[in-house]
Amino acid sequence: KRQGYLREELIGKSVRMLYVNKKEFDKVGKLTSEQISDEGTGSVETQWITKNGEILDIILSLTPLDIHDLSKGVTFTVLDITSRNIAEKALEESEQLFRSLYENSTIGIYRTTPAGKILMANPAAVRMLGYNSFEDMAQLNLEKTGYEPAYSRKEFKNRLEKNGIIRGLESAWIKKNGETIYVRESAKAIKDKKNKIIFYDGTFEDITASKEAEQKLQSSEARMRHLLNATTTIIYSIKVSGKNLQPEWVGDNIRQLG
């Protein structure tokens, strides 16, 4: 029926007409004469073509009516595996895409357990944290080390326990050489059927440069504010409005005017 033919269109016709590759028909014949006589049955994967031109992937199984006398006939069983093959191909392509993204991504990708064991880390993660290999990095126990004292892993775990997900969490980690790296992290808690967290899947990006620039800016603004507040000189700017000059005060030392 899947072939698109009526029964009367096939009766009396050679099965060869259904094969995409006619040489496959000869392969089935060889299977019949050699393999079936030894094993009692046999199968081969091939392709048939429907009446409307659709290509089907099939497994053709053959069983003789009499294993001792193949001339009495052979029963053919056809299993359509087209959908299965399409699904397997899509899965393979998806896995290849994930592998490519995982290997070539410029952001860190990881999987860790609540106990602090690193199960997976992509090359970018290994590189950003200063390790030579994943195996080297996997020796790290995140429950004992890896975080700056001001940034608690406990907070990370509590937020995942409560919300199941974290987006844009900023923290400071310690590289293998002891240097500090600032990261922006997103993670998701993965649970088992009993709703118990079994590991965390996450990504992170290195924001050290922007974090240090922000800290320098804040430090510079604080110094400027201190100078403005400590100076004995009255500082103000003039804003011109029409023909009038209107003073606009800068700094807190206006109090010197009483």
Side-chain angles (χ1 to χ4, degrees):
K1 188 174 182 180
R2 176 72 185 270
Q3 287 285 311
Y5 290 98
L6 298 176
R7 183 174 182 274
E8 51 269 24
E9 291 179 295
L10 294 176
I11 296 298
K13 300 293 192 307
S14 171
V15 180
R16 182 187 291 269
M17 64 181 284
L18 301 177
Y19 285 79
V20 173
N21 183 352
K22 306 307 178 186
K23 293 182 179 180
E24 292 288 333
F25 178 79
D26 299 328
K27 183 188 295 185
V28 174
K30 185 177 181 181
L31 178 69
T32 303
S33 60
E34 295 180 359
Q35 186 174 340
I36 291 182
S37 58
D38 295 331
E39 301 179 7
T41 186
S43 62
V44 63
E45 187 171 333
T46 186
Q47 288 184 318
W48 280 3
I49 185 168
T50 67
K51 186 177 180 180
N52 62 10
E54 181 184 358
I55 303 298
L56 302 180
D57 297 322
I58 66 167
I59 292 179
L60 192 60
S61 300
L62 304 86
T63 305
L65 297 178
D66 187 339
I67 192 173
H68 302 294
D69 185 0
L70 298 181
S71 64
K72 291 184 178 181
V74 177
T75 299
F76 289 79
T77 303
V78 180
L79 176 63
D80 183 354
I81 59 171
T82 307
S83 297
R84 187 191 74 182
N85 283 357
I86 291 174
E88 289 178 349
K89 183 179 180 180
L91 178 60
E92 181 180 354
E93 291 175 349
S94 177
E95 290 175 344
Q96 290 176 350
L97 176 60
F98 172 78
R99 177 58 57 183
S100 176
L101 292 173
Y102 177 81
E103 295 289 345
N104 301 312
S105 176
T106 57
I107 65 173
I109 303 173
Y110 67 80
R111 170 173 287 181
T112 65
T113 68
K117 182 176 178 58
I118 302 174
L119 301 178
M120 181 180 75
N122 72 333
V126 174
R127 182 175 61 254
M128 281 191 279
L129 291 172
Y131 289 87
N132 297 320
S133 66
F134 167 72
E135 290 72 22
D136 186 22
M137 182 176 169
Q139 302 303 312
L140 183 67
N141 186 329
L142 299 176
E143 288 292 290
K144 297 179 180 180
T145 186
Y147 285 80
E148 282 281 1
Y151 295 86
S152 171
R153 175 171 166 80
K154 184 177 180 181
E155 178 189 353
F156 169 83
K157 294 173 66 174
N158 287 343
R159 289 176 63 173
L160 280 174
E161 183 72 38
K162 180 180 179 180
N163 304 317
I165 193 168
I166 285 176
R167 290 190 177 93
L169 175 66
E170 293 187 6
S171 56
W173 295 351
I174 301 175
K175 298 172 63 173
K176 183 181 180 181
N177 63 6
E179 293 179 359
T180 296
I181 177 177
Y182 292 95
V183 302
R184 182 179 293 113
E185 180 181 17
S186 296
K188 182 177 182 180
I190 307 300
K191 300 181 180 181
D192 61 16
K193 294 180 179 179
K194 296 182 179 180
N195 206 38
K196 179 182 178 182
I197 296 177
I198 52 177
F199 44 76
Y200 310 124
D201 280 350
T203 62
F204 67 92
E205 58 179 322
D206 183 354
I207 59 170
T208 304
S210 61
K211 194 72 174 178
E212 290 177 347
E214 179 184 335
Q215 290 174 345
K216 289 180 181 179
L217 178 60
Q218 290 175 348
S219 177
S220 176
E221 290 177 343
R223 287 197 301 270
M224 181 60 71
R225 176 60 60 185
H226 175 74
L227 289 173
L228 288 174
N229 291 339
T231 185
T232 58
T233 304
I234 299 174
I235 302 175
Y236 64 91
S237 63
I238 298 297
K239 180 169 62 178
V240 178
S241 177
K243 295 181 179 180
N244 300 317
L245 297 181
Q246 298 180 3
E248 184 177 284
W249 298 104
V250 179
D252 296 333
N253 53 9
I254 300 173
R255 63 181 178 274
Q256 295 180 45
L257 296 180

